[in-house]
Amino acid sequence: MLLNKRILLIISGGVAAYKSLELIRRLREQGADVRVIMTRAACEFITPLSVSSLAGGKVSLDLFDPGDEGEMGHIELSRDADLLVVAPATAHIMARMAAGLCDDLATTCLLATDKPVLLAPAMNMRMWQHRATRRNLETLTGDGIAFVGPDEGDMACGEFGPGRMAEPDDILKAVIAHFSDPADRPLAGRRVLVTAGPTHEPIDPVRYIANRSSGKQGYAIAAAAARAGARTMLVTGPSAEPRPAGVEVAEVRTADEMHAACLARLPCDVAIMAAAVADWKVVRASAGKIKKTPGKGPPALKLEANADILQAVGGAGANRPGLVVGFAAETGRVVENARAKLKSKGCDWILANDVSPRAGTFGGQDNQVTLVSGDGVEPWPRLSKRAVAERLVARIAEHVSRQVSAAE
Ligand code: CTP
């Protein structure tokens, strides 16, 4: 699938570098011509000899190697590639790229290139979550750099969290998707915002109010939108789902944070609000842990309403996305309630789902939805959440292409 595609793989210095050996093998199996640049730190983790053996000898190590610069210098290296892949991309190389630094062969090629760049970040979870890395991620995304991963899981440092490099197979899929036929990417050039998961509303520093949403449906939608070529931004409440490939993920905790993160991502072409946002939050959550006081009984929690994010996006005036899709979680009178929400929230489509325990969809693998729009009511069969996502994205792509034809 990658026959004659020229990939310049940059390996920077992280423990995950060992997975890049497998990536080289997988890329070459698909017919790609792989050239590799290893940073100095990468050579501390894996040897140039292993890389060279797998890449058919095409490894460059240092900017100032007269032999290498003579044979194929940094400009040729970046000009000669169809796609640059940085895997693993450490926090350090991301920071250098965001700042436009070019102090070695890898960063010089990255600055000198006009070719697309795909990054597979890998770092400790706290480094990934650090504000500086968040800022760099935003800068790089704004510069048009694509990302795959990182995943969440056990890390070499003994911690668990987001920051593990995407598996070679997922990086390979992202590379293949990059080269796929534009007809398979009907949302190319579109910006899609997706919300997912529950929100956690703090009671005190250790307790919160939440719901049973797993985030599965929203994550599947974000993955499908990214596969369809959209620049996809997923704003997610706490969820154990792995990060979908090629999606920009913003992790939030509360409804207020989700609200701000969504508004900050407008304008966009399509918004799909699949999050199970808490309707209420505790008025003035306690700064300290609420203690049991003998004879005093349980605390009375005073609640206030959270902002309705879907309504805010649906009524965002000039910033309103061209298509706003909401979900309606109902335990009865599903279609009637969905119709009412369509109106009250100012959205274009509602996917109504029955979340009563007998339907078994909330938190489960399957979903059964009814698409309610101005055009009517369309019940869909019971499908996996992935299939619901594919079908929704296909419908959105159709809608967007109809809008384009109408405008022409
Ligand atoms: N939603 C939102 N912000 C909120 C509440 C809901 O964006 N504060 C969105 C959800 O993401 C979903 C839609 O609104 O797309 C409907 O959510 P749902 O929980 O079904 O409805 P509610 O508005 O909460 O109404 P109710 O609980 O009364 O059914």
Side-chain angles (χ1 to χ4, degrees), residues 115-142:
K115 299 296 168 53
V117 180
L118 173 71
L119 252 62
M123 65 199 74
N124 164 275
M125 59 178 274
R126 263 178 279 280
M127 292 169 80
W128 174 250
Q129 284 164 343
H130 195 283
R131 282 217 203 142
T133 308
R134 304 273 102 190
R135 273 198 307 274
N136 294 335
L137 181 65
E138 272 197 23
T139 304
L140 293 172
T141 324

PDB file of all heavy atoms in Angstrom, residues 115-142:
ATOM      1  N   LYS A 115       7.212  19.287   3.171  1.00  0.00           N
ATOM      2  CA  LYS A 115       6.423  18.055   3.049  1.00  0.00           C
ATOM      3  C   LYS A 115       5.619  17.841   4.328  1.00  0.00           C
ATOM      4  O   LYS A 115       5.962  18.362   5.380  1.00  0.00           O
ATOM      5  CB  LYS A 115       7.362  16.856   2.833  1.00  0.00           C
ATOM      6  CG  LYS A 115       8.207  16.964   1.571  1.00  0.00           C
ATOM      7  CD  LYS A 115       7.329  16.959   0.336  1.00  0.00           C
ATOM      8  CE  LYS A 115       8.032  17.340  -0.942  1.00  0.00           C
ATOM      9  NZ  LYS A 115       9.225  16.611  -1.245  1.00  0.00           N
ATOM     10  N   PRO A 116       4.535  17.051   4.253  1.00  0.00           N
ATOM     11  CA  PRO A 116       3.749  16.798   5.459  1.00  0.00           C
ATOM     12  C   PRO A 116       4.551  16.046   6.522  1.00  0.00           C
ATOM     13  O   PRO A 116       5.457  15.271   6.188  1.00  0.00           O
ATOM     14  CB  PRO A 116       2.575  15.942   4.969  1.00  0.00           C
ATOM     15  CG  PRO A 116       2.824  15.654   3.549  1.00  0.00           C
ATOM     16  CD  PRO A 116       3.993  16.418   3.054  1.00  0.00           C
ATOM     17  N   VAL A 117       4.205  16.326   7.775  1.00  0.00           N
ATOM     18  CA  VAL A 117       4.943  15.730   8.899  1.00  0.00           C
ATOM     19  C   VAL A 117       3.945  15.068   9.851  1.00  0.00           C
ATOM     20  O   VAL A 117       2.914  15.642  10.189  1.00  0.00           O
ATOM     21  CB  VAL A 117       5.734  16.821   9.668  1.00  0.00           C
ATOM     22  CG1 VAL A 117       6.490  16.199  10.844  1.00  0.00           C
ATOM     23  CG2 VAL A 117       6.691  17.553   8.749  1.00  0.00           C
ATOM     24  N   LEU A 118       4.277  13.834  10.252  1.00  0.00           N
ATOM     25  CA  LEU A 118       3.442  13.082  11.194  1.00  0.00           C
ATOM     26  C   LEU A 118       4.281  12.774  12.434  1.00  0.00           C
ATOM     27  O   LEU A 118       5.385  12.253  12.314  1.00  0.00           O
ATOM     28  CB  LEU A 118       2.990  11.778  10.527  1.00  0.00           C
ATOM     29  CG  LEU A 118       2.249  10.761  11.386  1.00  0.00           C
ATOM     30  CD1 LEU A 118       0.842  11.264  11.737  1.00  0.00           C
ATOM     31  CD2 LEU A 118       2.129   9.415  10.656  1.00  0.00           C
ATOM     32  N   LEU A 119       3.744  13.108  13.606  1.00  0.00           N
ATOM     33  CA  LEU A 119       4.481  12.891  14.850  1.00  0.00           C
ATOM     34  C   LEU A 119       3.830  11.809  15.694  1.00  0.00           C
ATOM     35  O   LEU A 119       2.608  11.807  15.857  1.00  0.00           O
ATOM     36  CB  LEU A 119       4.465  14.187  15.675  1.00  0.00           C
ATOM     37  CG  LEU A 119       5.766  14.970  15.777  1.00  0.00           C
ATOM     38  CD1 LEU A 119       6.201  15.428  14.402  1.00  0.00           C
ATOM     39  CD2 LEU A 119       5.606  16.183  16.673  1.00  0.00           C
ATOM     40  N   ALA A 120       4.651  10.931  16.264  1.00  0.00           N
ATOM     41  CA  ALA A 120       4.158   9.935  17.223  1.00  0.00           C
ATOM     42  C   ALA A 120       4.815  10.221  18.567  1.00  0.00           C
ATOM     43  O   ALA A 120       5.901   9.707  18.850  1.00  0.00           O
ATOM     44  CB  ALA A 120       4.486   8.527  16.740  1.00  0.00           C
ATOM     45  N   PRO A 121       4.182  11.075  19.390  1.00  0.00           N
ATOM     46  CA  PRO A 121       4.823  11.475  20.641  1.00  0.00           C
ATOM     47  C   PRO A 121       5.006  10.309  21.607  1.00  0.00           C
ATOM     48  O   PRO A 121       4.210   9.360  21.608  1.00  0.00           O
ATOM     49  CB  PRO A 121       3.844  12.501  21.238  1.00  0.00           C
ATOM     50  CG  PRO A 121       2.936  12.888  20.131  1.00  0.00           C
ATOM     51  CD  PRO A 121       2.874  11.709  19.216  1.00  0.00           C
ATOM     52  N   ALA A 122       6.038  10.402  22.431  1.00  0.00           N
ATOM     53  CA  ALA A 122       6.300   9.382  23.455  1.00  0.00           C
ATOM     54  C   ALA A 122       7.037  10.063  24.596  1.00  0.00           C
ATOM     55  O   ALA A 122       8.111  10.635  24.385  1.00  0.00           O
ATOM     56  CB  ALA A 122       7.155   8.257  22.880  1.00  0.00           C
ATOM     57  N   MET A 123       6.440  10.037  25.752  1.00  0.00           N
ATOM     58  CA  MET A 123       7.097  10.653  26.918  1.00  0.00           C
ATOM     59  C   MET A 123       6.364  10.276  28.183  1.00  0.00           C
ATOM     60  O   MET A 123       5.272   9.703  28.123  1.00  0.00           O
ATOM     61  CB  MET A 123       7.142  12.181  26.752  1.00  0.00           C
ATOM     62  CG  MET A 123       5.794  12.855  26.750  1.00  0.00           C
ATOM     63  SD  MET A 123       5.849  14.512  26.037  1.00  0.00           S
ATOM     64  CE  MET A 123       6.003  14.196  24.280  1.00  0.00           C
ATOM     65  N   ASN A 124       6.955  10.598  29.294  1.00  0.00           N
ATOM     66  CA  ASN A 124       6.305  10.381  30.585  1.00  0.00           C
ATOM     67  C   ASN A 124       4.994  11.179  30.629  1.00  0.00           C
ATOM     68  O   ASN A 124       4.900  12.262  30.048  1.00  0.00           O
ATOM     69  CB  ASN A 124       7.283  10.850  31.678  1.00  0.00           C
ATOM     70  CG  ASN A 124       6.615  11.052  33.006  1.00  0.00           C
ATOM     71  OD1 ASN A 124       6.060  12.112  33.278  1.00  0.00           O
ATOM     72  ND2 ASN A 124       6.656  10.037  33.833  1.00  0.00           N
ATOM     73  N   MET A 125       3.991  10.632  31.338  1.00  0.00           N
ATOM     74  CA  MET A 125       2.665  11.270  31.313  1.00  0.00           C
ATOM     75  C   MET A 125       2.698  12.705  31.833  1.00  0.00           C
ATOM     76  O   MET A 125       1.976  13.566  31.333  1.00  0.00           O
ATOM     77  CB  MET A 125       1.656  10.445  32.115  1.00  0.00           C
ATOM     78  CG  MET A 125       2.016  10.241  33.559  1.00  0.00           C
ATOM     79  SD  MET A 125       0.755   9.322  34.442  1.00  0.00           S
ATOM     80  CE  MET A 125      -0.300  10.657  34.892  1.00  0.00           C
ATOM     81  N   ARG A 126       3.547  12.978  32.831  1.00  0.00           N
ATOM     82  CA  ARG A 126       3.568  14.351  33.349  1.00  0.00           C
ATOM     83  C   ARG A 126       4.218  15.301  32.357  1.00  0.00           C
ATOM     84  O   ARG A 126       3.833  16.454  32.246  1.00  0.00           O
ATOM     85  CB  ARG A 126       4.280  14.398  34.693  1.00  0.00           C
ATOM     86  CG  ARG A 126       3.269  14.359  35.848  1.00  0.00           C
ATOM     87  CD  ARG A 126       3.970  14.364  37.173  1.00  0.00           C
ATOM     88  NE  ARG A 126       4.422  13.024  37.479  1.00  0.00           N
ATOM     89  CZ  ARG A 126       3.620  12.078  37.964  1.00  0.00           C
ATOM     90  NH1 ARG A 126       2.349  12.356  38.198  1.00  0.00           N
ATOM     91  NH2 ARG A 126       4.071  10.874  38.214  1.00  0.00           N
ATOM     92  N   MET A 127       5.161  14.794  31.606  1.00  0.00           N
ATOM     93  CA  MET A 127       5.759  15.634  30.558  1.00  0.00           C
ATOM     94  C   MET A 127       4.718  15.899  29.468  1.00  0.00           C
ATOM     95  O   MET A 127       4.606  17.006  28.946  1.00  0.00           O
ATOM     96  CB  MET A 127       6.982  14.930  29.957  1.00  0.00           C
ATOM     97  CG  MET A 127       8.123  14.827  30.938  1.00  0.00           C
ATOM     98  SD  MET A 127       9.408  13.719  30.331  1.00  0.00           S
ATOM     99  CE  MET A 127      10.291  14.759  29.196  1.00  0.00           C
ATOM    100  N   TRP A 128       3.932  14.862  29.144  1.00  0.00           N
ATOM    101  CA  TRP A 128       2.895  15.027  28.121  1.00  0.00           C
ATOM    102  C   TRP A 128       1.833  16.020  28.581  1.00  0.00           C
ATOM    103  O   TRP A 128       1.317  16.813  27.821  1.00  0.00           O
ATOM    104  CB  TRP A 128       2.268  13.660  27.797  1.00  0.00           C
ATOM    105  CG  TRP A 128       1.098  13.742  26.874  1.00  0.00           C
ATOM    106  CD1 TRP A 128      -0.213  13.515  27.174  1.00  0.00           C
ATOM    107  CD2 TRP A 128       1.126  14.104  25.476  1.00  0.00           C
ATOM    108  NE1 TRP A 128      -0.991  13.699  26.063  1.00  0.00           N
ATOM    109  CE2 TRP A 128      -0.202  14.067  25.011  1.00  0.00           C
ATOM    110  CE3 TRP A 128       2.146  14.465  24.593  1.00  0.00           C
ATOM    111  CZ2 TRP A 128      -0.538  14.362  23.703  1.00  0.00           C
ATOM    112  CZ3 TRP A 128       1.805  14.768  23.275  1.00  0.00           C
ATOM    113  CH2 TRP A 128       0.475  14.711  22.848  1.00  0.00           C
ATOM    114  N   GLN A 129       1.524  15.972  29.894  1.00  0.00           N
ATOM    115  CA  GLN A 129       0.459  16.833  30.387  1.00  0.00           C
ATOM    116  C   GLN A 129       0.963  18.216  30.777  1.00  0.00           C
ATOM    117  O   GLN A 129       0.175  19.104  31.076  1.00  0.00           O
ATOM    118  CB  GLN A 129      -0.217  16.177  31.606  1.00  0.00           C
ATOM    119  CG  GLN A 129      -1.135  15.045  31.167  1.00  0.00           C
ATOM    120  CD  GLN A 129      -1.531  14.121  32.292  1.00  0.00           C
ATOM    121  OE1 GLN A 129      -0.901  14.101  33.346  1.00  0.00           O
ATOM    122  NE2 GLN A 129      -2.561  13.331  32.074  1.00  0.00           N
ATOM    123  N   HIS A 130       2.265  18.410  30.766  1.00  0.00           N
ATOM    124  CA  HIS A 130       2.814  19.711  31.173  1.00  0.00           C
ATOM    125  C   HIS A 130       2.313  20.806  30.235  1.00  0.00           C
ATOM    126  O   HIS A 130       2.169  20.602  29.042  1.00  0.00           O
ATOM    127  CB  HIS A 130       4.348  19.653  31.128  1.00  0.00           C
ATOM    128  CG  HIS A 130       4.984  20.795  31.860  1.00  0.00           C
ATOM    129  ND1 HIS A 130       5.055  22.056  31.332  1.00  0.00           N
ATOM    130  CD2 HIS A 130       5.531  20.874  33.101  1.00  0.00           C
ATOM    131  CE1 HIS A 130       5.651  22.870  32.205  1.00  0.00           C
ATOM    132  NE2 HIS A 130       5.937  22.163  33.289  1.00  0.00           N
ATOM    133  N   ARG A 131       2.082  21.964  30.841  1.00  0.00           N
ATOM    134  CA  ARG A 131       1.544  23.068  30.033  1.00  0.00           C
ATOM    135  C   ARG A 131       2.431  23.414  28.851  1.00  0.00           C
ATOM    136  O   ARG A 131       1.940  23.797  27.791  1.00  0.00           O
ATOM    137  CB  ARG A 131       1.415  24.319  30.909  1.00  0.00           C
ATOM    138  CG  ARG A 131       0.218  24.261  31.775  1.00  0.00           C
ATOM    139  CD  ARG A 131      -0.354  25.651  31.873  1.00  0.00           C
ATOM    140  NE  ARG A 131      -1.139  25.713  33.095  1.00  0.00           N
ATOM    141  CZ  ARG A 131      -1.206  26.739  33.889  1.00  0.00           C
ATOM    142  NH1 ARG A 131      -0.529  27.822  33.599  1.00  0.00           N
ATOM    143  NH2 ARG A 131      -1.948  26.714  34.948  1.00  0.00           N
ATOM    144  N   ALA A 132       3.732  23.296  29.053  1.00  0.00           N
ATOM    145  CA  ALA A 132       4.647  23.657  27.958  1.00  0.00           C
ATOM    146  C   ALA A 132       4.417  22.705  26.779  1.00  0.00           C
ATOM    147  O   ALA A 132       4.356  23.140  25.618  1.00  0.00           O
ATOM    148  CB  ALA A 132       6.086  23.570  28.442  1.00  0.00           C
ATOM    149  N   THR A 133       4.253  21.393  27.071  1.00  0.00           N
ATOM    150  CA  THR A 133       4.017  20.438  25.980  1.00  0.00           C
ATOM    151  C   THR A 133       2.658  20.694  25.340  1.00  0.00           C
ATOM    152  O   THR A 133       2.506  20.599  24.122  1.00  0.00           O
ATOM    153  CB  THR A 133       4.123  18.992  26.513  1.00  0.00           C
ATOM    154  OG1 THR A 133       5.350  18.859  27.214  1.00  0.00           O
ATOM    155  CG2 THR A 133       4.069  17.976  25.393  1.00  0.00           C
ATOM    156  N   ARG A 134       1.660  21.022  26.172  1.00  0.00           N
ATOM    157  CA  ARG A 134       0.317  21.359  25.625  1.00  0.00           C
ATOM    158  C   ARG A 134       0.438  22.536  24.650  1.00  0.00           C
ATOM    159  O   ARG A 134      -0.137  22.541  23.578  1.00  0.00           O
ATOM    160  CB  ARG A 134      -0.669  21.775  26.741  1.00  0.00           C
ATOM    161  CG  ARG A 134      -0.859  20.773  27.848  1.00  0.00           C
ATOM    162  CD  ARG A 134      -1.903  19.791  27.518  1.00  0.00           C
ATOM    163  NE  ARG A 134      -1.267  18.569  27.117  1.00  0.00           N
ATOM    164  CZ  ARG A 134      -1.883  17.538  26.566  1.00  0.00           C
ATOM    165  NH1 ARG A 134      -3.161  17.597  26.304  1.00  0.00           N
ATOM    166  NH2 ARG A 134      -1.244  16.453  26.239  1.00  0.00           N
ATOM    167  N   ARG A 135       1.193  23.541  25.088  1.00  0.00           N
ATOM    168  CA  ARG A 135       1.357  24.728  24.223  1.00  0.00           C
ATOM    169  C   ARG A 135       2.042  24.324  22.920  1.00  0.00           C
ATOM    170  O   ARG A 135       1.625  24.718  21.835  1.00  0.00           O
ATOM    171  CB  ARG A 135       2.240  25.773  24.920  1.00  0.00           C
ATOM    172  CG  ARG A 135       1.511  26.722  25.824  1.00  0.00           C
ATOM    173  CD  ARG A 135       2.366  27.967  26.111  1.00  0.00           C
ATOM    174  NE  ARG A 135       3.700  27.679  26.619  1.00  0.00           N
ATOM    175  CZ  ARG A 135       3.993  27.476  27.900  1.00  0.00           C
ATOM    176  NH1 ARG A 135       3.057  27.523  28.803  1.00  0.00           N
ATOM    177  NH2 ARG A 135       5.234  27.242  28.280  1.00  0.00           N
ATOM    178  N   ASN A 136       3.099  23.502  23.044  1.00  0.00           N
ATOM    179  CA  ASN A 136       3.828  23.092  21.843  1.00  0.00           C
ATOM    180  C   ASN A 136       2.939  22.286  20.923  1.00  0.00           C
ATOM    181  O   ASN A 136       2.977  22.438  19.697  1.00  0.00           O
ATOM    182  CB  ASN A 136       5.073  22.290  22.228  1.00  0.00           C
ATOM    183  CG  ASN A 136       6.074  23.154  22.963  1.00  0.00           C
ATOM    184  OD1 ASN A 136       6.083  24.376  22.788  1.00  0.00           O
ATOM    185  ND2 ASN A 136       6.900  22.548  23.798  1.00  0.00           N
ATOM    186  N   LEU A 137       2.102  21.426  21.528  1.00  0.00           N
ATOM    187  CA  LEU A 137       1.180  20.605  20.748  1.00  0.00           C
ATOM    188  C   LEU A 137       0.235  21.506  19.948  1.00  0.00           C
ATOM    189  O   LEU A 137      -0.006  21.289  18.764  1.00  0.00           O
ATOM    190  CB  LEU A 137       0.395  19.720  21.719  1.00  0.00           C
ATOM    191  CG  LEU A 137      -0.618  18.756  21.156  1.00  0.00           C
ATOM    192  CD1 LEU A 137       0.080  17.707  20.311  1.00  0.00           C
ATOM    193  CD2 LEU A 137      -1.389  18.046  22.286  1.00  0.00           C
ATOM    194  N   GLU A 138      -0.273  22.545  20.622  1.00  0.00           N
ATOM    195  CA  GLU A 138      -1.189  23.454  19.915  1.00  0.00           C
ATOM    196  C   GLU A 138      -0.485  24.175  18.793  1.00  0.00           C
ATOM    197  O   GLU A 138      -1.025  24.323  17.694  1.00  0.00           O
ATOM    198  CB  GLU A 138      -1.780  24.465  20.893  1.00  0.00           C
ATOM    199  CG  GLU A 138      -3.013  23.897  21.510  1.00  0.00           C
ATOM    200  CD  GLU A 138      -3.911  24.907  22.178  1.00  0.00           C
ATOM    201  OE1 GLU A 138      -3.859  26.093  21.832  1.00  0.00           O
ATOM    202  OE2 GLU A 138      -4.657  24.459  23.058  1.00  0.00           O
ATOM    203  N   THR A 139       0.738  24.632  19.072  1.00  0.00           N
ATOM    204  CA  THR A 139       1.492  25.350  18.033  1.00  0.00           C
ATOM    205  C   THR A 139       1.720  24.429  16.838  1.00  0.00           C
ATOM    206  O   THR A 139       1.481  24.815  15.685  1.00  0.00           O
ATOM    207  CB  THR A 139       2.864  25.795  18.592  1.00  0.00           C
ATOM    208  OG1 THR A 139       2.629  26.557  19.748  1.00  0.00           O
ATOM    209  CG2 THR A 139       3.663  26.589  17.588  1.00  0.00           C
ATOM    210  N   LEU A 140       2.149  23.206  17.120  1.00  0.00           N
ATOM    211  CA  LEU A 140       2.479  22.291  16.024  1.00  0.00           C
ATOM    212  C   LEU A 140       1.226  21.910  15.246  1.00  0.00           C
ATOM    213  O   LEU A 140       1.252  21.837  14.011  1.00  0.00           O
ATOM    214  CB  LEU A 140       3.175  21.035  16.573  1.00  0.00           C
ATOM    215  CG  LEU A 140       4.568  21.294  17.178  1.00  0.00           C
ATOM    216  CD1 LEU A 140       5.103  20.062  17.878  1.00  0.00           C
ATOM    217  CD2 LEU A 140       5.540  21.749  16.091  1.00  0.00           C
ATOM    218  N   THR A 141       0.108  21.713  15.952  1.00  0.00           N
ATOM    219  CA  THR A 141      -1.123  21.380  15.241  1.00  0.00           C
ATOM    220  C   THR A 141      -1.532  22.553  14.354  1.00  0.00           C
ATOM    221  O   THR A 141      -1.954  22.366  13.218  1.00  0.00           O
ATOM    222  CB  THR A 141      -2.251  21.059  16.236  1.00  0.00           C
ATOM    223  OG1 THR A 141      -1.707  20.400  17.338  1.00  0.00           O
ATOM    224  CG2 THR A 141      -3.308  20.197  15.659  1.00  0.00           C
ATOM    225  N   GLY A 142      -1.390  23.748  14.920  1.00  0.00           N
ATOM    226  CA  GLY A 142      -1.700  24.951  14.131  1.00  0.00           C
ATOM    227  C   GLY A 142      -0.801  25.052  12.909  1.00  0.00           C
ATOM    228  O   GLY A 142      -1.187  25.620  11.884  1.00  0.00           O
TER     229      GLY A 142
END
